[in-house]
Amino acid sequence: MQVHVSRDAAASVTTGALVVPVFAGTPVDGVSADVDRVLGGAIADVLATGEIAGKPNETSLLHSKDAPFKRVFVIGLGEREKLKPGALAKYAGTAVRYLGKRGIEQITIALPAGLDATLAASFAAEGAFTALLDTTTYRTEPDRPVKTTAVTILTGDYDAAAVEAGVQRGSIIGEAVNKARLMALTPGNDMTPTILAERAKEVAKDAGLEVDVLDEARMQAKGMGSLLGVSRGSDEPATLSVITYKGDPSSTEVLALVGKGLTFDSGGISLKPPENMHEMKYDMSGGAGVIAAMWAIGKLRPKLNVIGLIPSSENLPGPKAMKPGDILRAMNGKTIEVINTDAEGRLILADALCYAKELGATKIVDCATLTGACVIALGHAASGTMSNDDAYVERFLKIVGDCGERYWRLPLYPDFDTQIKSDIADLKNTGGRPGGAETAGAFLKAFVGDTPWIHLDIAGTAYLDGESSHMAKGPTGTPVRAFVTLAEDFAQHGFSTNGVAKAALV
Ligand code: BES
Ligand code: MN
Ligand code: ZN
């Protein structure tokens, strides 16, 4: 699909369906009023009769036999004063999914006035792309496909060049999100660590990036005993993919994105109960997010250096599997007592974090479907966010506030460090049930040293059970949007996070 930009007036545009906004508690105005004149007041009627109130994602489909647009799809955007550009991803996505499933191939979207033009267009384009993804690719007959092949965004009163720039950005982000979702939904028999590394190579090369994949022999030589410990239980060898983007060769600053690429997590010897074990095919969502974000960054070419690391392994209870009580030695020399082999994500991330530092990372952010405890704490509403650096994490939380993904900070008090002290090794890999998300964060913190670092626990947000109006159910593409936003912010405003007190919560 392609998203186009047009300066046509909404009221005279020829299209399969024209999408216009309405607001709660506000009479029909702006572009919607222009269209409503052609419809003889039908939009105003829909509001006046209470058929819809203009709340977010309420919809009404009106037919218009005599107008050049065959249909008008009215979508609520809530209160006008509270509108932010990020809402337009759902707006466009809801339109494309509803209309596309009903066979409408060409859709034209009007933007509400009063927003940043580039951001508004970017979110609308992103939402159009993410609405399209078919997640039923393994079916012999697809499930009610979204038939839309062309989406046009009207500039309205906005500057056309700004809208064009936004559409380009949003199309790249939307495509990247879909790449991450497709990788994530691929089941374990078709997504081994080797295949994930192959995908990293393909996707990165398509964006003109360098890729280096470490095999187990190179991991051994680097002393990555923690990652190799997890891999021992499986016949499939582990991989560690490293993707490099050099957008600012004159700078020594490097942002590292690190993503858990566990292609199937059975729990290992500490085997999981069977009930939801199949969902653990999604345990490489973080790795997929890093690959996809690197692709987007390669396409958008912001002025900064970024490396993406994807440690990947299966966690299986094979005859050589690590056992509870075993002690592993990570790349930085720290020893880890394995209490529970199901706490494997932190083990593969530990070595990847050490390696990110060796490769020159000056800021790190990792993402992982790491703990069930985080799902209990925040549900599916937000990703747990932990850090060793207040200034860095506060900046992160601010800039991703409207990116379409939610992040909520959890503390890394010294109490959690105490909880993961081992009697006989430096660390143990679990700290019991209390504060399970935070003790996992505390564990990772032991491998980043002083480097400013953020940990994102996406266990509750990487995939969703229910279908939404704007996206198919399953993988969500979290944290691709946040990662791209962070890279762009470093490119625009520099890496310095001076001026804010360091780590009051650590
Ligand atoms: N991949 C799981 C975490 C997970 C759980 C992701 C639910 C998505 C949904 C992780 O490897 C895991 O098994 N964590 C354990 C840690 C525990 C043994 C300390 C958990 O959360 O139960
Ligand atoms: Mn596990
Ligand atoms: Zn896991």
Side-chain angles (χ1 to χ4, degrees), residues 378-398:
L378 299 172
H380 302 285
S383 303
T385 305
M386 288 150 259
S387 179
N388 61 353
D389 188 309
D390 278 352
Y392 179 28
V393 72
E394 278 166 20
R395 175 169 170 183
F396 172 82
L397 291 171
K398 198 166 150 211

Side-chain angles (χ1 to χ4, degrees), residues 122-133:
S122 176
F123 281 112
E126 178 196 314
F129 269 95
T130 54
L132 271 180
L133 186 74

